[in-house]
Amino acid sequence: MMIIMETHATKTQCNHALAWINNKGLTPHLSEGIERTVIGIVGNIRTVDHEQLLHLPGVDSVMPISSPYKLSSRAFHPEDSIINIGNQPIGEGQEMHIIAGPCSVESKTQIIETAHAVKEAGAHALRGGAFKPRTSPYSFQGLEEQGLEFLAEARAQTGLPIVTEVMSQNHVDMVANYADVLQIGARNMQNFPLLKQVGKKTNTILLKRGMAAKVDDLLMAAEYIISQGNTNILLCERGIRTFETATRNTTDINAIPVLKSLTHLPVILDPSHSTGHWEFVTAVAKAGIAAGADGLIIEVHLDPRTAFSDGDQSLKPAQFAKLITKVKAIAQAVGRKTISENLYIPQ
Ligand code: PEP
Ligand code: MN
């Protein structure tokens, strides 16, 4: 349920409404917009008398919320959320945000050289997996904590914030100590204990859509995180499983505008995993930006043929630099801020 305050409702009237909700044993969530203040109510709303609410001073109207997700819904929070990665904002009206790097951290020199290369091309953040969710238990599983150390070294040299996956509840504290952004992979999108645990952290969370998850399932997963107090969430479309086998997954471009209408959270696209082939990554990246994505996450490898994971879908640094030029043109064409030059001052 949502309370919409009158345009000129005073602070005292808002506080009174908040106290009233608290007294009923419910949780109010205040959203102060430019036009109006909205108060969302979470809890057993059956105990609430609508008439009483309507008669509280400063209350304009009361609306039920039909969606099962509340705090992540646009109805609850009409203003777009702007989330930070390092000190760079990402979200509606902000500069298009690019995260790039290898699928896996393979060695110190590999991640440091890649970090310099993607930074030079215009990336805002560095990705790289230290804990890898692999289909086969015999495939490379990641360098684990050593991989995180190498990522931290790459950040120290380039100033690029780090995005890396956390796969297990046991590793949340460790990964959070190194990373700027905790990635929840497609395979863990509905690992509810993991979602709850990252919800207790202050790191930004990059939540990837499960390969068989509906948009609503993704939003319910975000709700798990946000309900624990962490509102810094980026949603990521990374392709879904369909009958099509020409690509690794099927990019659900629809999900971008659909998510933008249903939620205030920023939405990014991963055209590397959604296509599975480097030849198609740039075209689909352009489509994502044209459709309104707030950013992209792209796999880049110095020598894709020798990559420990996802070489087929990885761009070489020069190809990535070309991608940036092309998506910048699309961003410009659709009226969104592109990437400013020399974003980072190396530390
Ligand atoms: C990845 O980002 O390398 C990854 C494993 O992604 P996803 O969880 O989307 O498959
Ligand atoms: Mn990958």
Side-chain angles (χ1 to χ4, degrees):
M1 184 188 289
M2 211 170 71
I3 302 175
I4 296 127
M5 300 302 289
E6 287 167 355
T7 321
H8 300 294
T10 63
K11 194 98 198 140
T12 318
Q13 288 173 328
C14 291
N15 287 340
H16 181 251
L18 291 174
W20 190 91
I21 297 160
N22 273 321
N23 273 339
K24 296 279 172 200
L26 303 165
T27 314
H29 289 269
L30 187 69
S31 171
E32 286 173 300
I34 298 163
E35 300 268 310
R36 276 175 183 223
T37 295
V38 170
I39 303 172
I41 309 178
V42 179
N44 183 7
I45 52 160
R46 268 174 293 190
T47 58
V48 176
D49 180 341
H50 281 215
E51 283 303 310
Q52 266 188 322
L53 258 181
L54 269 173
H55 285 101
L56 292 180
V59 170
D60 180 66
S61 53
V62 176
M63 266 172 54
I65 300 222
S66 50
S67 69
Y69 41 90
K70 311 284 179 200
L71 305 177
S72 48
S73 83
R74 196 175 272 290
F76 239 63
H77 189 293
E79 310 266 314
D80 290 293
S81 284
I82 307 300
I83 309 297
N84 277 333
I85 297 189
N87 58 8
Q88 292 295 322
I90 167 164
E92 191 65 35
Q94 307 300 308
E95 203 167 90
M96 167 180 66
H97 199 98
I98 313 284
I99 303 163
C103 180
S104 300
V105 179
E106 298 170 6
S107 70
K108 190 168 170 175
T109 48
Q110 174 242 16
I111 195 66
I112 288 174
E113 273 183 44
T114 314
H116 284 287
V118 298
K119 183 190 157 189
E120 202 159 301
H124 298 74
L126 176 68
R127 64 149 289 151
F131 292 91
K132 292 305 302 176
R134 304 305 301 279
T135 302
S136 165
Y138 308 119
S139 302
F140 176 63
Q141 304 284 307
L143 296 181
E144 305 192 339
E145 190 162 9
Q146 192 183 40
L148 299 174
E149 284 164 10
F150 295 162
L151 282 164
E153 177 64 29
R155 173 177 53 203
Q157 289 198 23
T158 60
L160 293 179
I162 297 167
V163 180
T164 196
E165 178 160 355
V166 57
M167 284 172 55
S168 144
Q169 269 175 277
N170 301 336
H171 295 144
V172 169
D173 286 342
M174 184 218 291
V175 181
N177 280 339
Y178 289 93
D180 298 277
V181 178
L182 301 176
Q183 176 174 320
I184 300 293
R187 291 155 192 80
N188 266 321
M189 191 207 80
Q190 285 189 315
N191 181 338
F192 300 120
L194 179 62
L195 296 176
K196 283 189 194 167
Q197 200 154 336
V198 297
K200 296 194 177 89
K201 292 285 170 192
T202 53
N203 306 62
T204 292
I205 309 299
L206 169 51
L207 178 63
K208 298 188 93 176
R209 180 181 182 180
M211 56 190 85
K214 295 192 299 179
V215 162
D216 270 13
D217 298 326
L218 174 62
L219 289 170
M220 289 309 290
E223 194 73 14
Y224 264 91
I225 300 171
I226 212 166
S227 63
Q228 297 298 311
N230 189 346
T231 55
N232 303 316
I233 304 169
L234 302 173
L235 301 173
C236 179
E237 164 60 37
R238 47 77 73 204
I240 48 173
R241 281 272 164 88
T242 68
F243 55 81
E244 182 56 74
T245 53
T247 48
R248 182 177 179 183
N249 291 293
T250 295
T251 312
D252 183 8
I253 288 287
N254 297 357
I256 298 168
V258 169
L259 283 167
K260 289 290 228 166
S261 75
L262 295 175
T263 179
H264 51 92
L265 299 169
V267 178
I268 68 167
L269 176 68
D270 174 349
S272 306
H273 289 86
S274 78
T275 62
H277 298 281
W278 69 267
E279 304 97 297
F280 310 131
V281 169
T282 302
V284 175
K286 290 194 291 182
I289 293 300
D294 297 304
L296 299 167
I297 177 164
I298 309 281
E299 286 188 339
V300 177
H301 199 280
L302 299 170
D303 181 12
R305 284 167 310 161
T306 63
F308 291 6
S309 58
D310 288 350
D312 290 347
Q313 66 193 36
S314 299
L315 297 180
K316 293 179 188 162
Q319 293 167 329
F320 172 65
K322 279 192 190 141
L323 174 145
I324 294 266
T325 314
K326 291 184 175 165
V327 292
K328 258 186 180 179
I330 297 290
Q332 236 150 18
V334 297
R336 114 159 268 143
K337 279 194 218 163
T338 60
I339 303 171
S340 43
E341 304 300 329
N342 304 321
L343 270 176
Y344 291 101
I345 302 135
Q347 293 159 350

